[in-house]
PDB file of all heavy atoms in Angstrom:
ATOM      1  N   ILE A   1     -33.067 119.133  25.343  1.00  0.00           N
ATOM      2  CA  ILE A   1     -34.283 119.807  25.806  1.00  0.00           C
ATOM      3  C   ILE A   1     -34.100 120.316  27.235  1.00  0.00           C
ATOM      4  O   ILE A   1     -34.443 121.459  27.558  1.00  0.00           O
ATOM      5  CB  ILE A   1     -35.491 118.858  25.723  1.00  0.00           C
ATOM      6  CG1 ILE A   1     -35.821 118.547  24.264  1.00  0.00           C
ATOM      7  CG2 ILE A   1     -36.708 119.464  26.434  1.00  0.00           C
ATOM      8  CD1 ILE A   1     -36.882 117.478  24.079  1.00  0.00           C
ATOM      9  N   ARG A   2     -33.539 119.473  28.089  1.00  0.00           N
ATOM     10  CA  ARG A   2     -33.329 119.880  29.485  1.00  0.00           C
ATOM     11  C   ARG A   2     -32.325 121.030  29.580  1.00  0.00           C
ATOM     12  O   ARG A   2     -32.487 121.938  30.391  1.00  0.00           O
ATOM     13  CB  ARG A   2     -32.859 118.681  30.311  1.00  0.00           C
ATOM     14  CG  ARG A   2     -33.907 117.584  30.457  1.00  0.00           C
ATOM     15  CD  ARG A   2     -33.434 116.467  31.382  1.00  0.00           C
ATOM     16  NE  ARG A   2     -34.464 115.446  31.547  1.00  0.00           N
ATOM     17  CZ  ARG A   2     -34.469 114.284  30.904  1.00  0.00           C
ATOM     18  NH1 ARG A   2     -33.473 113.979  30.060  1.00  0.00           N
ATOM     19  NH2 ARG A   2     -35.441 113.405  31.099  1.00  0.00           N
ATOM     20  N   VAL A   3     -31.297 120.979  28.755  1.00  0.00           N
ATOM     21  CA  VAL A   3     -30.257 122.008  28.786  1.00  0.00           C
ATOM     22  C   VAL A   3     -30.824 123.366  28.392  1.00  0.00           C
ATOM     23  O   VAL A   3     -30.618 124.367  29.083  1.00  0.00           O
ATOM     24  CB  VAL A   3     -29.086 121.633  27.857  1.00  0.00           C
ATOM     25  CG1 VAL A   3     -28.170 122.835  27.633  1.00  0.00           C
ATOM     26  CG2 VAL A   3     -28.278 120.488  28.455  1.00  0.00           C
ATOM     27  N   VAL A   4     -31.552 123.426  27.273  1.00  0.00           N
ATOM     28  CA  VAL A   4     -32.074 124.722  26.839  1.00  0.00           C
ATOM     29  C   VAL A   4     -33.171 125.211  27.774  1.00  0.00           C
ATOM     30  O   VAL A   4     -33.314 126.422  27.991  1.00  0.00           O
ATOM     31  CB  VAL A   4     -32.578 124.679  25.380  1.00  0.00           C
ATOM     32  CG1 VAL A   4     -31.442 124.333  24.427  1.00  0.00           C
ATOM     33  CG2 VAL A   4     -33.734 123.722  25.203  1.00  0.00           C
ATOM     34  N   ALA A   5     -33.935 124.287  28.348  1.00  0.00           N
ATOM     35  CA  ALA A   5     -34.974 124.686  29.303  1.00  0.00           C
ATOM     36  C   ALA A   5     -34.367 125.337  30.532  1.00  0.00           C
ATOM     37  O   ALA A   5     -34.979 126.220  31.157  1.00  0.00           O
ATOM     38  CB  ALA A   5     -35.819 123.489  29.712  1.00  0.00           C
ATOM     39  N   ALA A   6     -33.153 124.929  30.876  1.00  0.00           N
ATOM     40  CA  ALA A   6     -32.469 125.471  32.050  1.00  0.00           C
ATOM     41  C   ALA A   6     -31.761 126.789  31.747  1.00  0.00           C
ATOM     42  O   ALA A   6     -31.097 127.357  32.611  1.00  0.00           O
ATOM     43  CB  ALA A   6     -31.461 124.452  32.578  1.00  0.00           C
ATOM     44  N   GLY A   7     -31.913 127.276  30.509  1.00  0.00           N
ATOM     45  CA  GLY A   7     -31.296 128.546  30.159  1.00  0.00           C
ATOM     46  C   GLY A   7     -29.906 128.418  29.579  1.00  0.00           C
ATOM     47  O   GLY A   7     -29.222 129.419  29.341  1.00  0.00           O
ATOM     48  N   GLU A   8     -29.470 127.191  29.333  1.00  0.00           N
ATOM     49  CA  GLU A   8     -28.162 126.965  28.732  1.00  0.00           C
ATOM     50  C   GLU A   8     -28.339 126.762  27.225  1.00  0.00           C
ATOM     51  O   GLU A   8     -29.420 126.950  26.683  1.00  0.00           O
ATOM     52  CB  GLU A   8     -27.497 125.746  29.370  1.00  0.00           C
ATOM     53  CG  GLU A   8     -27.325 125.852  30.884  1.00  0.00           C
ATOM     54  CD  GLU A   8     -26.272 126.858  31.281  1.00  0.00           C
ATOM     55  OE1 GLU A   8     -25.428 127.199  30.412  1.00  0.00           O
ATOM     56  OE2 GLU A   8     -26.294 127.329  32.420  1.00  0.00           O
ATOM     57  N   SER A   9     -27.280 126.368  26.552  1.00  0.00           N
ATOM     58  CA  SER A   9     -27.326 126.186  25.113  1.00  0.00           C
ATOM     59  C   SER A   9     -26.643 124.893  24.721  1.00  0.00           C
ATOM     60  O   SER A   9     -25.760 124.406  25.423  1.00  0.00           O
ATOM     61  CB  SER A   9     -26.630 127.356  24.413  1.00  0.00           C
ATOM     62  OG  SER A   9     -27.183 128.577  24.838  1.00  0.00           O
ATOM     63  N   VAL A  10     -27.045 124.356  23.571  1.00  0.00           N
ATOM     64  CA  VAL A  10     -26.438 123.119  23.091  1.00  0.00           C
ATOM     65  C   VAL A  10     -26.319 123.186  21.579  1.00  0.00           C
ATOM     66  O   VAL A  10     -27.233 123.648  20.884  1.00  0.00           O
ATOM     67  CB  VAL A  10     -27.290 121.891  23.523  1.00  0.00           C
ATOM     68  CG1 VAL A  10     -28.695 121.954  22.957  1.00  0.00           C
ATOM     69  CG2 VAL A  10     -26.614 120.598  23.114  1.00  0.00           C
ATOM     70  N   LEU A  11     -25.164 122.763  21.072  1.00  0.00           N
ATOM     71  CA  LEU A  11     -24.941 122.699  19.634  1.00  0.00           C
ATOM     72  C   LEU A  11     -24.349 121.345  19.279  1.00  0.00           C
ATOM     73  O   LEU A  11     -23.533 120.813  20.022  1.00  0.00           O
ATOM     74  CB  LEU A  11     -23.970 123.785  19.172  1.00  0.00           C
ATOM     75  CG  LEU A  11     -24.443 125.232  19.192  1.00  0.00           C
ATOM     76  CD1 LEU A  11     -23.308 126.145  18.758  1.00  0.00           C
ATOM     77  CD2 LEU A  11     -25.646 125.438  18.305  1.00  0.00           C
ATOM     78  N   ALA A  12     -24.761 120.823  18.125  1.00  0.00           N
ATOM     79  CA  ALA A  12     -24.153 119.596  17.631  1.00  0.00           C
ATOM     80  C   ALA A  12     -22.652 119.825  17.479  1.00  0.00           C
ATOM     81  O   ALA A  12     -22.225 120.894  17.042  1.00  0.00           O
ATOM     82  CB  ALA A  12     -24.764 119.215  16.282  1.00  0.00           C
ATOM     83  N   PRO A  13     -21.822 118.846  17.838  1.00  0.00           N
ATOM     84  CA  PRO A  13     -20.365 119.034  17.757  1.00  0.00           C
ATOM     85  C   PRO A  13     -19.881 119.508  16.389  1.00  0.00           C
ATOM     86  O   PRO A  13     -19.026 120.375  16.303  1.00  0.00           O
ATOM     87  CB  PRO A  13     -19.830 117.638  18.086  1.00  0.00           C
ATOM     88  CG  PRO A  13     -20.873 117.046  18.975  1.00  0.00           C
ATOM     89  CD  PRO A  13     -22.186 117.549  18.423  1.00  0.00           C
ATOM     90  N   SER A  14     -20.449 118.966  15.324  1.00  0.00           N
ATOM     91  CA  SER A  14     -20.012 119.383  13.989  1.00  0.00           C
ATOM     92  C   SER A  14     -20.336 120.845  13.742  1.00  0.00           C
ATOM     93  O   SER A  14     -19.555 121.587  13.131  1.00  0.00           O
ATOM     94  CB  SER A  14     -20.680 118.522  12.915  1.00  0.00           C
ATOM     95  OG  SER A  14     -22.095 118.639  12.978  1.00  0.00           O
ATOM     96  N   ALA A  15     -21.495 121.290  14.219  1.00  0.00           N
ATOM     97  CA  ALA A  15     -21.881 122.686  14.047  1.00  0.00           C
ATOM     98  C   ALA A  15     -20.958 123.594  14.835  1.00  0.00           C
ATOM     99  O   ALA A  15     -20.567 124.672  14.373  1.00  0.00           O
ATOM    100  CB  ALA A  15     -23.330 122.889  14.493  1.00  0.00           C
ATOM    101  N   THR A  16     -20.599 123.178  16.036  1.00  0.00           N
ATOM    102  CA  THR A  16     -19.712 123.986  16.872  1.00  0.00           C
ATOM    103  C   THR A  16     -18.340 124.130  16.230  1.00  0.00           C
ATOM    104  O   THR A  16     -17.767 125.221  16.198  1.00  0.00           O
ATOM    105  CB  THR A  16     -19.560 123.336  18.262  1.00  0.00           C
ATOM    106  OG1 THR A  16     -20.850 123.169  18.842  1.00  0.00           O
ATOM    107  CG2 THR A  16     -18.711 124.191  19.171  1.00  0.00           C
ATOM    108  N   ARG A  17     -17.797 123.032  15.701  1.00  0.00           N
ATOM    109  CA  ARG A  17     -16.479 123.086  15.074  1.00  0.00           C
ATOM    110  C   ARG A  17     -16.473 124.055  13.897  1.00  0.00           C
ATOM    111  O   ARG A  17     -15.544 124.844  13.717  1.00  0.00           O
ATOM    112  CB  ARG A  17     -16.054 121.686  14.617  1.00  0.00           C
ATOM    113  CG  ARG A  17     -15.639 120.757  15.754  1.00  0.00           C
ATOM    114  CD  ARG A  17     -14.926 119.543  15.205  1.00  0.00           C
ATOM    115  NE  ARG A  17     -15.773 118.741  14.341  1.00  0.00           N
ATOM    116  CZ  ARG A  17     -16.549 117.754  14.781  1.00  0.00           C
ATOM    117  NH1 ARG A  17     -16.585 117.464  16.063  1.00  0.00           N
ATOM    118  NH2 ARG A  17     -17.274 117.052  13.934  1.00  0.00           N
ATOM    119  N   ARG A  18     -17.525 124.013  13.077  1.00  0.00           N
ATOM    120  CA  ARG A  18     -17.568 124.881  11.910  1.00  0.00           C
ATOM    121  C   ARG A  18     -17.808 126.336  12.299  1.00  0.00           C
ATOM    122  O   ARG A  18     -17.272 127.257  11.693  1.00  0.00           O
ATOM    123  CB  ARG A  18     -18.639 124.398  10.936  1.00  0.00           C
ATOM    124  CG  ARG A  18     -18.320 123.046  10.316  1.00  0.00           C
ATOM    125  CD  ARG A  18     -19.097 122.822   9.027  1.00  0.00           C
ATOM    126  NE  ARG A  18     -20.474 123.255   9.144  1.00  0.00           N
ATOM    127  CZ  ARG A  18     -21.439 122.547   9.736  1.00  0.00           C
ATOM    128  NH1 ARG A  18     -21.157 121.383  10.305  1.00  0.00           N
ATOM    129  NH2 ARG A  18     -22.670 122.989   9.772  1.00  0.00           N
ATOM    130  N   LEU A  19     -18.629 126.536  13.318  1.00  0.00           N
ATOM    131  CA  LEU A  19     -18.878 127.906  13.781  1.00  0.00           C
ATOM    132  C   LEU A  19     -17.584 128.547  14.258  1.00  0.00           C
ATOM    133  O   LEU A  19     -17.249 129.669  13.887  1.00  0.00           O
ATOM    134  CB  LEU A  19     -19.899 127.883  14.923  1.00  0.00           C
ATOM    135  CG  LEU A  19     -20.314 129.240  15.494  1.00  0.00           C
ATOM    136  CD1 LEU A  19     -21.002 130.079  14.433  1.00  0.00           C
ATOM    137  CD2 LEU A  19     -21.202 129.055  16.704  1.00  0.00           C
ATOM    138  N   ILE A  20     -16.824 127.813  15.062  1.00  0.00           N
ATOM    139  CA  ILE A  20     -15.550 128.325  15.563  1.00  0.00           C
ATOM    140  C   ILE A  20     -14.566 128.515  14.407  1.00  0.00           C
ATOM    141  O   ILE A  20     -13.842 129.503  14.345  1.00  0.00           O
ATOM    142  CB  ILE A  20     -14.969 127.370  16.623  1.00  0.00           C
ATOM    143  CG1 ILE A  20     -15.834 127.428  17.891  1.00  0.00           C
ATOM    144  CG2 ILE A  20     -13.526 127.715  16.962  1.00  0.00           C
ATOM    145  CD1 ILE A  20     -15.478 126.386  18.924  1.00  0.00           C
ATOM    146  N   GLY A  21     -14.564 127.568  13.457  1.00  0.00           N
ATOM    147  CA  GLY A  21     -13.685 127.690  12.312  1.00  0.00           C
ATOM    148  C   GLY A  21     -13.987 128.921  11.471  1.00  0.00           C
ATOM    149  O   GLY A  21     -13.091 129.608  10.986  1.00  0.00           O
ATOM    150  N   HIS A  22     -15.279 129.231  11.325  1.00  0.00           N
ATOM    151  CA  HIS A  22     -15.657 130.412  10.560  1.00  0.00           C
ATOM    152  C   HIS A  22     -15.225 131.690  11.276  1.00  0.00           C
ATOM    153  O   HIS A  22     -14.817 132.658  10.644  1.00  0.00           O
ATOM    154  CB  HIS A  22     -17.169 130.432  10.320  1.00  0.00           C
ATOM    155  CG  HIS A  22     -17.580 129.650   9.123  1.00  0.00           C
ATOM    156  ND1 HIS A  22     -17.396 128.289   9.030  1.00  0.00           N
ATOM    157  CD2 HIS A  22     -18.162 130.029   7.957  1.00  0.00           C
ATOM    158  CE1 HIS A  22     -17.857 127.863   7.856  1.00  0.00           C
ATOM    159  NE2 HIS A  22     -18.324 128.898   7.195  1.00  0.00           N
ATOM    160  N   TYR A  23     -15.323 131.694  12.603  1.00  0.00           N
ATOM    161  CA  TYR A  23     -14.862 132.864  13.334  1.00  0.00           C
ATOM    162  C   TYR A  23     -13.350 133.008  13.202  1.00  0.00           C
ATOM    163  O   TYR A  23     -12.821 134.114  13.093  1.00  0.00           O
ATOM    164  CB  TYR A  23     -15.246 132.777  14.806  1.00  0.00           C
ATOM    165  CG  TYR A  23     -16.548 133.472  15.090  1.00  0.00           C
ATOM    166  CD1 TYR A  23     -17.705 132.750  15.317  1.00  0.00           C
ATOM    167  CD2 TYR A  23     -16.623 134.864  15.096  1.00  0.00           C
ATOM    168  CE1 TYR A  23     -18.902 133.396  15.557  1.00  0.00           C
ATOM    169  CE2 TYR A  23     -17.818 135.514  15.327  1.00  0.00           C
ATOM    170  CZ  TYR A  23     -18.962 134.774  15.566  1.00  0.00           C
ATOM    171  OH  TYR A  23     -20.143 135.416  15.793  1.00  0.00           O
ATOM    172  N   ALA A  24     -12.650 131.890  13.215  1.00  0.00           N
ATOM    173  CA  ALA A  24     -11.190 131.939  13.089  1.00  0.00           C
ATOM    174  C   ALA A  24     -10.768 132.517  11.745  1.00  0.00           C
ATOM    175  O   ALA A  24      -9.751 133.197  11.634  1.00  0.00           O
ATOM    176  CB  ALA A  24     -10.598 130.537  13.262  1.00  0.00           C
ATOM    177  N   SER A  25     -11.578 132.276  10.712  1.00  0.00           N
ATOM    178  CA  SER A  25     -11.244 132.781   9.379  1.00  0.00           C
ATOM    179  C   SER A  25     -11.848 134.146   9.116  1.00  0.00           C
ATOM    180  O   SER A  25     -11.621 134.743   8.079  1.00  0.00           O
ATOM    181  CB  SER A  25     -11.763 131.795   8.313  1.00  0.00           C
ATOM    182  OG  SER A  25     -13.179 131.767   8.310  1.00  0.00           O
ATOM    183  N   GLY A  26     -12.658 134.635  10.066  1.00  0.00           N
ATOM    184  CA  GLY A  26     -13.282 135.939   9.912  1.00  0.00           C
ATOM    185  C   GLY A  26     -14.463 135.923   8.971  1.00  0.00           C
ATOM    186  O   GLY A  26     -14.911 136.965   8.502  1.00  0.00           O
ATOM    187  N   ALA A  27     -15.016 134.726   8.702  1.00  0.00           N
ATOM    188  CA  ALA A  27     -16.095 134.622   7.726  1.00  0.00           C
ATOM    189  C   ALA A  27     -17.463 134.926   8.303  1.00  0.00           C
ATOM    190  O   ALA A  27     -18.416 135.125   7.572  1.00  0.00           O
ATOM    191  CB  ALA A  27     -16.115 133.209   7.121  1.00  0.00           C
ATOM    192  N   VAL A  28     -17.603 134.932   9.620  1.00  0.00           N
ATOM    193  CA  VAL A  28     -18.906 135.151  10.229  1.00  0.00           C
ATOM    194  C   VAL A  28     -18.868 136.407  11.072  1.00  0.00           C
ATOM    195  O   VAL A  28     -17.999 136.572  11.909  1.00  0.00           O
ATOM    196  CB  VAL A  28     -19.300 133.958  11.121  1.00  0.00           C
ATOM    197  CG1 VAL A  28     -20.653 134.218  11.768  1.00  0.00           C
ATOM    198  CG2 VAL A  28     -19.352 132.687  10.302  1.00  0.00           C
ATOM    199  N   THR A  29     -19.814 137.289  10.837  1.00  0.00           N
ATOM    200  CA  THR A  29     -19.922 138.492  11.659  1.00  0.00           C
ATOM    201  C   THR A  29     -21.381 138.822  11.868  1.00  0.00           C
ATOM    202  O   THR A  29     -22.247 138.397  11.122  1.00  0.00           O
ATOM    203  CB  THR A  29     -19.254 139.706  10.984  1.00  0.00           C
ATOM    204  OG1 THR A  29     -19.885 139.936   9.709  1.00  0.00           O
ATOM    205  CG2 THR A  29     -17.767 139.481  10.776  1.00  0.00           C
ATOM    206  N   GLY A  30     -21.653 139.586  12.901  1.00  0.00           N
ATOM    207  CA  GLY A  30     -22.980 140.151  13.076  1.00  0.00           C
ATOM    208  C   GLY A  30     -24.021 139.247  13.675  1.00  0.00           C
ATOM    209  O   GLY A  30     -25.186 139.616  13.732  1.00  0.00           O
ATOM    210  N   ILE A  31     -23.672 138.050  14.148  1.00  0.00           N
ATOM    211  CA  ILE A  31     -24.693 137.182  14.717  1.00  0.00           C
ATOM    212  C   ILE A  31     -25.089 137.675  16.105  1.00  0.00           C
ATOM    213  O   ILE A  31     -26.121 137.327  16.627  1.00  0.00           O
ATOM    214  CB  ILE A  31     -24.201 135.727  14.798  1.00  0.00           C
ATOM    215  CG1 ILE A  31     -23.782 135.248  13.414  1.00  0.00           C
ATOM    216  CG2 ILE A  31     -25.270 134.802  15.307  1.00  0.00           C
ATOM    217  CD1 ILE A  31     -23.261 133.836  13.375  1.00  0.00           C
ATOM    218  N   GLY A  32     -24.293 138.492  16.702  1.00  0.00           N
ATOM    219  CA  GLY A  32     -24.568 138.957  18.049  1.00  0.00           C
ATOM    220  C   GLY A  32     -25.691 139.956  18.173  1.00  0.00           C
ATOM    221  O   GLY A  32     -25.918 140.495  19.242  1.00  0.00           O
ATOM    222  N   GLY A  33     -26.425 140.244  17.104  1.00  0.00           N
ATOM    223  CA  GLY A  33     -27.598 141.068  17.209  1.00  0.00           C
ATOM    224  C   GLY A  33     -27.315 142.556  17.079  1.00  0.00           C
ATOM    225  O   GLY A  33     -28.098 143.397  17.487  1.00  0.00           O
ATOM    226  N   GLY A  34     -26.174 142.928  16.504  1.00  0.00           N
ATOM    227  CA  GLY A  34     -25.895 144.328  16.261  1.00  0.00           C
ATOM    228  C   GLY A  34     -25.345 145.066  17.461  1.00  0.00           C
ATOM    229  O   GLY A  34     -25.274 146.287  17.463  1.00  0.00           O
ATOM    230  N   SER A  35     -24.943 144.387  18.513  1.00  0.00           N
ATOM    231  CA  SER A  35     -24.401 145.042  19.686  1.00  0.00           C
ATOM    232  C   SER A  35     -23.038 145.645  19.363  1.00  0.00           C
ATOM    233  O   SER A  35     -22.315 145.170  18.495  1.00  0.00           O
ATOM    234  CB  SER A  35     -24.258 144.039  20.839  1.00  0.00           C
ATOM    235  OG  SER A  35     -25.513 143.557  21.230  1.00  0.00           O
ATOM    236  N   THR A  36     -22.662 146.695  20.059  1.00  0.00           N
ATOM    237  CA  THR A  36     -21.393 147.362  19.832  1.00  0.00           C
ATOM    238  C   THR A  36     -20.597 147.355  21.119  1.00  0.00           C
ATOM    239  O   THR A  36     -21.140 147.172  22.206  1.00  0.00           O
ATOM    240  CB  THR A  36     -21.627 148.813  19.390  1.00  0.00           C
ATOM    241  OG1 THR A  36     -22.248 149.528  20.478  1.00  0.00           O
ATOM    242  CG2 THR A  36     -22.547 148.878  18.189  1.00  0.00           C
ATOM    243  N   PRO A  37     -19.288 147.597  21.030  1.00  0.00           N
ATOM    244  CA  PRO A  37     -18.461 147.610  22.240  1.00  0.00           C
ATOM    245  C   PRO A  37     -18.969 148.572  23.299  1.00  0.00           C
ATOM    246  O   PRO A  37     -18.795 148.350  24.483  1.00  0.00           O
ATOM    247  CB  PRO A  37     -17.087 148.029  21.694  1.00  0.00           C
ATOM    248  CG  PRO A  37     -17.079 147.526  20.290  1.00  0.00           C
ATOM    249  CD  PRO A  37     -18.486 147.726  19.807  1.00  0.00           C
ATOM    250  N   ARG A  38     -19.590 149.675  22.874  1.00  0.00           N
ATOM    251  CA  ARG A  38     -20.095 150.642  23.836  1.00  0.00           C
ATOM    252  C   ARG A  38     -21.082 150.000  24.809  1.00  0.00           C
ATOM    253  O   ARG A  38     -21.177 150.408  25.967  1.00  0.00           O
ATOM    254  CB  ARG A  38     -20.767 151.801  23.098  1.00  0.00           C
ATOM    255  CG  ARG A  38     -21.286 152.906  24.004  1.00  0.00           C
ATOM    256  CD  ARG A  38     -21.843 154.054  23.198  1.00  0.00           C
ATOM    257  NE  ARG A  38     -20.836 154.633  22.303  1.00  0.00           N
ATOM    258  CZ  ARG A  38     -21.093 155.600  21.415  1.00  0.00           C
ATOM    259  NH1 ARG A  38     -22.323 156.064  21.292  1.00  0.00           N
ATOM    260  NH2 ARG A  38     -20.122 156.064  20.653  1.00  0.00           N
ATOM    261  N   GLU A  39     -21.809 148.998  24.344  1.00  0.00           N
ATOM    262  CA  GLU A  39     -22.798 148.343  25.203  1.00  0.00           C
ATOM    263  C   GLU A  39     -22.134 147.553  26.328  1.00  0.00           C
ATOM    264  O   GLU A  39     -22.790 147.199  27.305  1.00  0.00           O
ATOM    265  CB  GLU A  39     -23.694 147.423  24.368  1.00  0.00           C
ATOM    266  CG  GLU A  39     -24.566 148.197  23.395  1.00  0.00           C
ATOM    267  CD  GLU A  39     -25.485 147.295  22.623  1.00  0.00           C
ATOM    268  OE1 GLU A  39     -26.518 146.886  23.181  1.00  0.00           O
ATOM    269  OE2 GLU A  39     -25.171 146.997  21.463  1.00  0.00           O
ATOM    270  N   LEU A  40     -20.847 147.259  26.189  1.00  0.00           N
ATOM    271  CA  LEU A  40     -20.144 146.552  27.251  1.00  0.00           C
ATOM    272  C   LEU A  40     -19.803 147.475  28.414  1.00  0.00           C
ATOM    273  O   LEU A  40     -19.366 147.009  29.467  1.00  0.00           O
ATOM    274  CB  LEU A  40     -18.857 145.928  26.705  1.00  0.00           C
ATOM    275  CG  LEU A  40     -19.030 144.849  25.632  1.00  0.00           C
ATOM    276  CD1 LEU A  40     -17.662 144.335  25.204  1.00  0.00           C
ATOM    277  CD2 LEU A  40     -19.894 143.720  26.134  1.00  0.00           C
ATOM    278  N   ASP A  41     -19.996 148.779  28.229  1.00  0.00           N
ATOM    279  CA  ASP A  41     -19.673 149.715  29.300  1.00  0.00           C
ATOM    280  C   ASP A  41     -20.478 149.437  30.560  1.00  0.00           C
ATOM    281  O   ASP A  41     -20.066 149.786  31.663  1.00  0.00           O
ATOM    282  CB  ASP A  41     -19.929 151.166  28.840  1.00  0.00           C
ATOM    283  CG  ASP A  41     -18.917 151.629  27.797  1.00  0.00           C
ATOM    284  OD1 ASP A  41     -17.871 150.959  27.676  1.00  0.00           O
ATOM    285  OD2 ASP A  41     -19.186 152.626  27.113  1.00  0.00           O
ATOM    286  N   GLY A  42     -21.647 148.827  30.395  1.00  0.00           N
ATOM    287  CA  GLY A  42     -22.494 148.545  31.550  1.00  0.00           C
ATOM    288  C   GLY A  42     -22.062 147.331  32.344  1.00  0.00           C
ATOM    289  O   GLY A  42     -22.601 147.067  33.417  1.00  0.00           O
ATOM    290  N   LEU A  43     -21.085 146.574  31.831  1.00  0.00           N
ATOM    291  CA  LEU A  43     -20.617 145.381  32.527  1.00  0.00           C
ATOM    292  C   LEU A  43     -19.513 145.734  33.512  1.00  0.00           C
ATOM    293  O   LEU A  43     -18.676 146.600  33.250  1.00  0.00           O
ATOM    294  CB  LEU A  43     -20.082 144.346  31.534  1.00  0.00           C
ATOM    295  CG  LEU A  43     -21.037 143.778  30.488  1.00  0.00           C
ATOM    296  CD1 LEU A  43     -20.344 142.666  29.717  1.00  0.00           C
ATOM    297  CD2 LEU A  43     -22.328 143.287  31.098  1.00  0.00           C
ATOM    298  N   THR A  44     -19.494 145.029  34.625  1.00  0.00           N
ATOM    299  CA  THR A  44     -18.379 145.171  35.549  1.00  0.00           C
ATOM    300  C   THR A  44     -17.172 144.419  34.987  1.00  0.00           C
ATOM    301  O   THR A  44     -17.307 143.612  34.053  1.00  0.00           O
ATOM    302  CB  THR A  44     -18.727 144.590  36.923  1.00  0.00           C
ATOM    303  OG1 THR A  44     -18.923 143.169  36.788  1.00  0.00           O
ATOM    304  CG2 THR A  44     -20.001 145.215  37.482  1.00  0.00           C
ATOM    305  N   ALA A  45     -16.007 144.662  35.559  1.00  0.00           N
ATOM    306  CA  ALA A  45     -14.799 143.961  35.112  1.00  0.00           C
ATOM    307  C   ALA A  45     -14.962 142.452  35.291  1.00  0.00           C
ATOM    308  O   ALA A  45     -14.549 141.667  34.436  1.00  0.00           O
ATOM    309  CB  ALA A  45     -13.582 144.464  35.879  1.00  0.00           C
ATOM    310  N   ARG A  46     -15.577 142.037  36.384  1.00  0.00           N
ATOM    311  CA  ARG A  46     -15.773 140.612  36.626  1.00  0.00           C
ATOM    312  C   ARG A  46     -16.734 140.019  35.609  1.00  0.00           C
ATOM    313  O   ARG A  46     -16.534 138.903  35.125  1.00  0.00           O
ATOM    314  CB  ARG A  46     -16.279 140.408  38.056  1.00  0.00           C
ATOM    315  CG  ARG A  46     -16.568 138.936  38.448  1.00  0.00           C
ATOM    316  CD  ARG A  46     -15.431 137.976  38.114  1.00  0.00           C
ATOM    317  NE  ARG A  46     -14.185 138.305  38.739  1.00  0.00           N
ATOM    318  CZ  ARG A  46     -13.817 137.867  39.944  1.00  0.00           C
ATOM    319  NH1 ARG A  46     -14.628 137.140  40.672  1.00  0.00           N
ATOM    320  NH2 ARG A  46     -12.619 138.183  40.413  1.00  0.00           N
TER     321      ARG A  46
END
C-alpha cells in the first residue's frame, strides 16, 4: 500500500517471474497501452 501510494509499483514474485517469462517467449504484447516507438521521440537520451 505504501509503495503504490508513493507512485511506485509492486508485484508478487511469482507474478513477476511469469510476466518476464512470457515476455521472453514473446507471448505477451500490447500491455503498454498501444504506444508506438514514435512516442519515444519526445524523450531525451537520458
Side-chain angles (χ1 to χ4, degrees):
I1 293 172
R2 294 185 178 101
V3 167
V4 298
E8 302 289 341
S9 306
V10 61
L11 290 177
S14 60
T16 304
R17 286 194 297 271
R18 294 200 318 280
L19 182 63
I20 290 172
H22 275 64
Y23 266 105
S25 67
V28 179
T29 59
I31 303 179
S35 296
T36 65
R38 182 176 301 175
E39 293 183 79
L40 296 180
D41 290 344
L43 299 186
T44 65
R46 179 49 59 89

